[in-house]
Amino acid sequence: MLYRPSKAQEFQNDAVPKAAPAAAVLRGPERTDLIRDELLCEIFSATVERCPGAIAMATEEDKLTYAEADQRAETIARGLVRRGLRPGRVAGLWMPRGTELLIAQIAIAKIGAAWLPFDADAPPERVATCLADAEAFCLVTAPAFSAKITASCPIWISAELAAAPAQSENSAKVNARSLGARPGDPAYVIYTSGSTGTPKGIAIPGRNICHYLRAANEIYGIRADDIVFQGSSVAFDLSMEEIWIPYLAGASLFVASAALLGETERLACVMEAHGVTVVDAVPTLLGLLPRDVASLRLIILGGEACPPAIAARWSRAGRKIFNSYGPTETTVVATVAEVRPELPITIGRPIANYTCYVANDRLELLPRGVEGELLIGGPGVAKGYLRRDLLTREKFIKNPFVADPPDPVLYRSGDAVEIDPDGNILFRGRIDDQVKVRGFRVELGEIEAKLTDLPGIAQAAAVLRDGNGSEELVAFLVPSFEAEIELKSLRSELRASLPAYMIPARFEILPGLPKLASG
């Protein structure tokens, strides 16, 4: 049986336009109590006040209570304020995995500013490009990383920001509201792949993410006694629910090091040894583990399609598994289904206060059972893309289906779906050439653009293919006249401008790309 709310929270699937009684429209439970005037930092602060001695985050070597993490974040926040960071401004965040990265994230939130996160192995060129595009006020980083980059903004070392200020300053806590922070200010900025070869930024307001954390945990039920595995990159917005729902609940994070994530053969043992009860990850991670983790009571999957084999392998009595779906533009997750091995895998139904529509390319609502594009409305829909007005107008549209809707703006997801007879959404793939690789959203056109920028390559086509039971990127290359392509140097050049997950696993050289009769 898929996720069902209580009677008081029944999905209002009959709330469809009168002109289309059988239209493919799903509404999540109406929960106005989840939409609050709050800031992200206030969610963390409330937990610090409620349970200061509880463990907030731990590694294999160390533990920090909520009070200790708060104090360390406070010193960094003061350093950032002294240097001019304020609400409405963007701070880049590029640091190695670990608790120091998470503390710096909290520090930026304490000010009411937005962080722009980068994966630890992100190419410096891409970091610099995104910082410039976002007009970032600064980059918070580590010494080893600062030496790699020339940025358009000041580069500040996290440890130096935490240096003790003068005693007169030391008594005043940073207060985001006093600094002018509002729930509509950006809380974080995520860059996703762009089809033109340039990544595009999405700024998520504080009110969006605060609503999402509360709405999602109405379904997941993460508790104060849970230990949550923290393995996602902070550059991947799935990490927001992996990190901040535990903060909301007063749970503990077990923060995996980069080395541990690479040692999948011992990962299950380490999880059990540290009593991990919750994993929130892409299905690929579970597929890599050699055995079950007996301590797990809750598994949340997202970022990529969930194979039925994963559901069958990880289902156990007393354990819940959820499959989640949502574009970055709608704040982490828009729909959720409970996964059962005896039932088909779906992406479920909208979470509280969200609405999903299925329409054709003329924006006409389709009947249930007919495949179309998924459009999403609700309090998680972002305002658009940073400095991409044309793309924003194309993807974020006025709701054409209801005269006075609760969701006046809809996001066109570009995902092909249909609604089954039980009212669950079936994911059918993309209507364009965007794909998911290890949970990261990738425009194949961006990879192709980078390849054709390199000398000796006349044409390139990138595809996602199933190889040896897992999906991998494959690039097909056509050399320029009489040019020879050296694959080893090609990989090296791509690493300078693309993150690791966008580097094709395999290259194939062809005399020409196949064409339709039209050319």
Side-chain angles (χ1 to χ4, degrees):
M1 178 176 178
L2 293 176
Y3 164 69
R4 295 287 188 270
S6 66
K7 277 289 181 187
Q9 300 175 10
E10 284 286 338
F11 287 113
Q12 301 166 24
N13 296 333
D14 56 343
V16 299
K18 288 187 172 69
V25 179
L26 296 175
R27 296 196 189 282
E30 186 178 340
R31 292 286 306 275
T32 55
D33 60 305
L34 301 176
I35 303 174
R36 307 183 184 188
D37 177 23
E38 63 184 341
L39 305 175
L40 192 58
C41 60
E42 291 168 346
I43 285 178
F44 184 82
S45 295
T47 302
V48 173
E49 186 173 340
R50 187 173 71 248
C51 48
I55 300 300
M57 54 188 74
T59 64
E60 289 186 272
E61 297 82 24
D62 197 15
K63 292 181 179 179
L64 287 174
T65 66
Y66 273 92
E68 290 167 339
D70 182 64
Q71 184 177 21
R72 288 169 65 169
E74 184 70 25
T75 60
I76 295 173
R78 288 179 190 148
L80 288 167
V81 169
R82 288 197 306 275
R83 299 191 187 199
L85 187 63
R86 294 292 185 274
R89 293 174 176 170
V90 175
L93 187 57
W94 189 33
M95 296 174 66
R97 284 192 57 80
T99 56
E100 292 307 311
L101 168 62
L102 301 186
I103 288 167
Q105 189 184 71
I106 296 166
I108 295 168
K110 277 177 169 285
I111 298 166
W115 66 79
L116 166 53
F118 299 99
D119 195 59
D121 64 359
E125 178 188 309
R126 188 180 181 87
V127 175
T129 296
C130 295
L131 289 171
D133 185 71
E135 297 180 351
F137 184 77
C138 63
L139 172 65
V140 179
T141 189
F145 287 22
S146 66
K148 301 177 185 178
I149 187 170
T150 302
S152 56
C153 60
I155 299 172
W156 298 336
I157 306 301
S158 175
E160 294 173 2
L161 291 167
Q167 187 60 39
S168 59
E169 295 179 279
N170 203 34
S171 57
K173 290 199 76 170
V174 173
N175 186 302
R177 295 274 185 179
S178 297
L179 292 171
R182 300 164 299 176
D185 292 332
Y188 62 91
V189 179
I190 294 282
Y191 271 78
T192 65
S193 180
S195 58
T196 61
T198 303
K200 55 185 184 291
I202 305 114
I204 300 298
R207 67 162 60 94
N208 292 40
I209 186 60
C210 289
H211 166 269
Y212 172 71
L213 299 175
R214 295 188 183 279
N217 210 36
E218 288 290 302
I219 299 170
Y220 301 148
I222 292 176
R223 310 182 305 234
D225 61 349
D226 276 317
I227 299 174
V228 182
F229 184 75
Q230 201 286 295
S232 294
S233 163
V234 293
F236 179 20
D237 66 338
L238 185 74
S239 68
M240 286 301 300
E241 70 175 15
E242 182 194 48
I243 296 167
W244 285 84
I245 292 180
Y247 292 164
L248 171 70
S252 174
L253 296 176
F254 175 70
V255 185
S257 65
L260 177 60
L261 288 173
E263 298 174 12
T264 51
E265 69 282 353
R266 78 179 188 99
L267 198 50
C269 294
V270 173
M271 286 184 184
E272 284 181 347
H274 289 268
V276 170
T277 59
V278 180
V279 163
D280 188 341
V282 294
T284 298
L285 176 66
L286 292 187
L288 293 173
L289 295 182
R291 65 172 181 84
D292 190 72
V293 179
S295 57
L296 288 180
R297 72 165 193 88
L298 174 63
I299 297 173
I300 305 166
L301 301 174
E304 61 190 24
C306 176
I310 292 291
R313 180 183 164 200
W314 288 87
S315 292
R316 295 285 186 279
R319 176 184 292 168
K320 281 185 176 287
I321 302 178
F322 290 103
N323 186 38
S324 66
Y325 159 88
T328 300
E329 290 86 344
T330 63
T331 308
V332 189
V333 163
T335 71
V336 174
E338 186 172 351
V339 175
R340 297 286 181 89
E342 70 275 11
L343 293 174
I345 301 289
T346 77
I347 58 173
R349 303 177 178 209
I351 67 172
N353 303 313
Y354 279 66
T355 310
C356 291
Y357 304 81
V358 182
N360 62 20
D361 57 2
R362 296 184 298 278
L363 293 180
E364 298 167 336
L365 283 175
L366 296 170
R368 293 192 183 192
V370 176
E371 185 176 305
E373 182 182 7
L374 178 61
L375 282 69
I376 302 168
V381 175
K383 295 176 182 177
Y385 298 106
L386 295 179
R387 281 169 285 286
R388 303 287 181 87
D389 293 343
L390 183 62
L391 186 60
T392 295
R393 288 194 297 271
E394 177 186 323
K395 301 289 282 184
F396 296 82
I397 63 169
K398 181 180 178 181
N399 191 329
F401 307 125
V402 185
D404 186 21
D407 37 31
V409 176
L410 304 181
Y411 174 69
R412 300 189 63 171
S413 71
D415 288 328
V417 303
E418 66 180 81
I419 298 178
D420 72 12
D422 295 323
N424 298 301
I425 303 171
L426 304 174
F427 180 80
R428 299 303 192 197
R430 292 292 300 173
I431 64 171
D432 54 24
D433 70 343
Q434 195 177 80
V435 298
K436 284 286 187 78
V437 179
R438 299 191 337 240
F440 291 91
R441 211 168 69 189
V442 172
E443 293 274 8
L444 295 175
E446 181 176 357
I447 299 171
E448 293 165 354
K450 294 295 185 186
L451 284 166
T452 53
D453 280 346
L454 299 177
I457 298 177
Q459 292 178 296
V463 299
L464 190 66
R465 284 199 167 171
D466 188 39
N468 300 319
S470 64
E471 291 185 317
E472 63 180 16
L473 284 170
V474 180
F476 296 89
L477 310 176
V478 178
S480 302
F481 182 69
E482 294 187 345
E484 290 189 11
I485 299 175
E486 173 52 55
L487 295 183
K488 186 175 180 180
S489 61
L490 175 65
R491 285 183 189 279
S492 177
E493 291 183 75
L494 286 178
R495 287 193 192 99
S497 59
L498 291 177
Y501 61 86
M502 290 178 68
I503 307 295
R506 189 157 50 90
F507 296 93
E508 295 193 15
I509 299 175
L510 303 175
L513 295 179
K515 297 181 176 65
L516 298 173
S518 64

